[in-house]
Amino acid sequence: LLGIDVSKKDNFALWYTRVITYSEMIDYYDISGCYILRPWAYSIWESIQRWLDAEIKELGVENSYFPLFVPKSVLEREKDHIEGFAPEVAWVTKSGDSDLAEPIAIRPTSETIMYPLFKKWIRSHRDLPLSLNQWSNVVRWEFKDPTPFLRSREFLWQEGHTAHATFEESQKMVMDVLNLYKKVYEELLAVPVIQGRKTEMERFPGGDITTTVEAYIHGSGRSVQGATSHNLGQNFGKMFEIQYEDKAGGHAVPWQTSWGLTTRSIGVMIMAHGDDKGLVLPPRVAPKQVVVIPIVKASLSAENKAALQSYAERITTDLKAAKIRVHLDHRDNYTPGWKYNHWEQKGVPLRLEVGPMDLDKGTARMVRRDSGLKVDLAAEAVVHTVLHVLEEIQANLFAKCKAERDKKLVKVWEWRDFVPALEEKCVILTPFVNETEWEEEVKRRSREEALAGESEDARTATSAAAKTLCIPFDQPDLPPGTKCFVSGKEATCWVLWGRSY
Ligand SMILES: O=C(C[C@H]1NCCC[C@H]1O)Cn1cnc2c(c1=O)CCCC2
Ligand SMILES: [Mg+2]
């Protein structure tokens, strides 16, 4: 097949599979849940990394690297931290033919690897704040159906881990990082997110406060956690007996944070912006922002072919000089039409067509990937127009995504309106009593009412149930006496619900 040949709205899962393969981002691997990140995808991860790495360093964080392995005795140091997650842990039990004395876990996250060293390094208040990050892979043997980028058994991420003398300082770090995550999504990936706090049921049990950025995928109507930033309180400090001599000469336990953003962010961007022709890349992370395509007609004389080639090369050189990521596709074994389709599937924001007429008139035809708009430009106007239009495309993608999300962001006050709104692919704000048993009840009833007697595979990554996404920091007005939408009890806050990945 030359084209994607399936519409995003008709079969979202198949559309996504076609987009990530035809754009040469992903290839499949023998082990379920493991994928190859090809250069077109890896380049996007590098752009995210480059921006985020510089920003966390501004916060005083330093990069480091800890071992991939953690002994069973250390990983299971505190039962309540690990109990819910145990099935996801991958173990090394042998080397060659011989069994290891003690099974060794492959890191699913690095708290238990790092914090024994934090204990060793943090002795005085002068050792604080300790702020480390590592860019690495992690392994979680997920049970649910895998989806490239969104849910894989190995993924790339950064995990930040800090220790502070006061709660206030730790909470500032939690929020400073959460604001960086919002910028990664909104300013790099052009995807709007809602910041908030996870409910008691959804928060990381090892921490005290879990904050999150929640994205909405218009095509599937599902929401997805974009990244998390936790205030761990003193829990891990107590668990790992981290203590230091404070200014008054007494013993104190530091206040810690941990925070992570993963390659899932790339999947969110693909789903948010892709269309029926394939990927649509935000210019700020596009591996190539412009592709120059010479239109070489066979009838052209040799010198005209050469003239056209050098004209296209000059335009390419001018763009490179302006730090624009440009590619000249002068392959003579593909037609211009084939190339248009190919680079559209790869989501390149701008195409510049350069034909014999353009050579004569000193022009080039600029075609926008997001809107399809075609504009003929004078060669000397190409660079500054391209720079301007790339910014326009970035803003346009964000605006389109935000409009789509806002159209589906609804308020519901009564239970009877809740499941119908889910069926309409909405993400739903409700007044809520914010008690775990009522959260469980909503999960159960929303699945039951949506399935209406049908069953649901436990492995499904696309459950019919609604779950809480977050308690948005930006709370709508809640007049006293407002009733919880499901329990009828006094509502204590507005909560965001949705079907999610
Ligand atoms: O990983 C975290 C907390 C924290 N880890 C560091 C980055 C930020 C944040 O994700 C929670 N968590 C999730 N998943 C798992 C574990 C786990 O602790 C441990 C066992 C395997 C699966
Ligand atoms: Mg998990």
Side-chain angles (χ1 to χ4, degrees):
L1 296 170
L2 194 61
I4 301 287
D5 292 337
V6 63
S7 167
K8 186 178 183 180
K9 64 184 176 312
D10 295 342
N11 185 337
F12 188 76
L14 179 59
W15 169 84
Y16 181 70
T17 302
R18 289 256 175 94
V19 166
I20 59 179
T21 48
Y22 284 37
S23 62
E24 302 173 315
M25 290 184 111
I26 287 278
D27 216 326
Y28 292 85
Y29 190 61
D30 327 38
I31 297 170
S32 168
C34 294
Y35 308 98
I36 291 95
L37 299 183
R38 300 181 67 182
W40 202 249
Y42 199 78
S43 166
I44 294 169
W45 182 239
E46 287 180 318
S47 296
I48 293 168
Q49 228 178 353
R50 193 173 301 119
W51 186 88
L52 184 56
D53 196 56
E55 289 292 336
I56 59 178
K57 282 169 176 160
E58 289 293 306
L59 294 178
V61 177
E62 294 174 301
N63 281 328
S64 56
Y65 187 78
F66 286 73
L68 171 70
F69 303 112
V70 50
K72 183 174 171 59
S73 54
V74 176
L75 182 76
E76 299 177 342
R77 182 75 177 260
E78 177 72 1
K79 281 301 170 205
D80 74 9
H81 159 61
I82 198 78
E83 65 183 349
F85 298 118
E88 296 181 20
V89 178
W91 296 96
V92 178
T93 57
K94 295 167 72 94
S95 76
D97 287 341
S98 54
D99 291 343
L100 296 185
E102 180 188 16
I104 291 173
I106 297 175
R107 70 176 163 234
T109 180
S110 300
E111 281 81 359
T112 59
I113 295 167
M114 292 177 163
Y115 297 168
L117 280 303
F118 277 34
K119 171 184 172 56
K120 184 177 175 188
W121 299 333
I122 299 172
R123 299 293 184 173
S124 150
H125 60 86
R126 290 183 190 82
D127 301 322
L128 298 177
L130 174 61
S131 306
L132 300 184
N133 178 66
Q134 86 173 3
W135 291 95
S136 74
N137 65 333
V138 282
V139 172
R140 295 178 182 180
W141 222 253
E142 298 274 357
F143 173 67
K144 288 184 177 177
D145 292 331
T147 306
F149 296 114
L150 258 65
R151 186 188 304 278
S152 53
R153 284 176 161 168
E154 176 187 10
F155 55 87
L156 306 182
W157 74 349
Q158 54 66 222
E159 50 177 311
H161 297 265
T162 70
H164 307 264
T166 66
F167 167 76
E168 290 70 20
E169 199 182 292
S170 68
Q171 190 55 19
K172 182 181 181 304
M173 177 60 86
V174 167
M175 290 310 296
D176 286 350
V177 169
L178 195 73
N179 291 332
L180 290 182
Y181 289 160
K182 178 179 170 81
K183 285 186 169 186
V184 166
Y185 275 93
E186 300 201 343
E187 297 178 14
L188 264 67
L189 303 175
V191 175
V193 291
I194 292 175
Q195 291 180 317
R197 184 162 53 84
K198 287 288 185 183
T199 61
E200 186 52 30
M201 188 162 103
E202 291 297 332
R203 79 175 170 79
F204 168 39
D208 284 349
I209 305 167
T210 291
T211 67
T212 177
V213 288
E214 295 289 328
Y216 171 74
I217 308 290
H218 177 74
S220 61
R222 289 184 173 270
S223 292
V224 59
Q225 178 178 290
T228 54
S229 183
H230 307 274
N231 194 310
L232 305 178
Q234 297 176 304
N235 305 338
F236 280 93
K238 290 169 186 161
M239 199 192 300
F240 286 90
E241 294 168 329
I242 304 172
Q243 55 182 302
Y244 65 94
E245 186 177 295
D246 61 18
K247 285 187 179 123
H251 279 164
V253 176
W255 296 86
Q256 291 178 254
T257 79
S258 75
W259 26 276
L261 179 138
T262 78
T263 36
R264 162 181 281 194
S265 53
I266 299 171
V268 173
M269 177 275 291
I270 294 164
M271 292 182 165
H273 302 306
D275 65 15
D276 288 352
K277 290 199 283 191
L279 261 187
V280 177
L281 291 174
R284 285 191 195 144
V285 296
K288 292 296 175 191
Q289 296 165 313
V290 182
V291 61
V292 178
I293 297 174
I295 304 167
V296 183
K297 297 204 177 5
S299 57
L300 275 181
S301 68
E303 63 264 85
N304 280 343
K305 278 183 187 173
L308 183 59
Q309 178 65 20
S310 60
Y311 180 58
E313 279 166 1
R314 186 157 64 73
I315 289 175
T316 305
T317 306
D318 291 351
L319 289 164
K320 268 197 183 107
K323 300 280 178 274
I324 290 162
R325 296 187 290 276
V326 56
H327 172 70
L328 169 57
D329 184 350
H330 52 55
R331 290 175 291 179
D332 60 7
N333 55 328
Y334 293 104
T335 64
W338 185 93
K339 293 178 185 180
Y340 298 166
N341 179 60
H342 174 73
W343 294 106
E344 283 169 359
Q345 285 179 352
K346 289 175 76 79
V348 175
L350 286 175
R351 168 172 86 228
L352 287 175
E353 301 167 11
V354 179
M357 293 238 294
D358 296 296
L359 177 61
D360 295 344
K361 292 188 295 179
T363 59
R365 170 160 292 186
M366 179 181 74
V367 184
R368 281 178 59 155
R369 176 66 181 83
D370 62 333
S371 64
L373 181 75
K374 294 182 183 347
V375 177
D376 288 334
L377 300 176
E380 52 277 4
V382 162
V383 170
H384 77 259
T385 308
V386 161
L387 284 168
H388 171 72
V389 172
L390 286 174
E391 280 307 302
E392 250 186 39
I393 293 170
Q394 185 79 28
N396 176 44
L397 291 180
F398 180 79
K400 263 168 70 176
C401 213
K402 189 167 184 314
E404 284 176 348
R405 193 269 318 266
D406 290 347
K407 210 163 48 197
K408 293 290 186 178
L409 177 55
V410 298
K411 284 195 183 91
V412 160
W413 282 267
E414 310 281 344
W415 174 261
R416 68 168 181 275
D417 301 326
F418 186 72
V419 175
L422 286 177
E423 294 297 314
E424 290 293 309
K425 296 189 174 181
C426 288
V427 53
I428 309 166
L429 272 167
T430 77
F432 188 50
V433 70
N434 196 15
E435 291 167 358
T436 300
E437 64 267 31
W438 283 104
E439 192 166 339
E440 291 282 8
E441 178 70 359
V442 170
K443 222 170 190 172
R444 189 189 62 73
R445 275 175 62 181
S446 58
R447 178 186 293 120
E448 191 183 275
E449 290 185 16
L451 292 175
E454 286 162 49
S455 68
E456 176 179 270
D457 181 334
R459 296 178 63 105
T460 180
T462 55
S463 163
K467 61 190 282 196
T468 58
L469 305 170
C470 71
I471 303 165
F473 292 136
D474 180 11
Q475 284 280 304
D477 184 34
L478 186 70
T482 304
K483 295 286 173 249
C484 163
F485 83 113
V486 58
S487 68
K489 299 165 84 172
E490 178 92 12
T492 59
C493 64
W494 285 88
V495 168
L496 193 65
W497 302 83
R499 285 177 176 153
S500 80
Y501 285 95

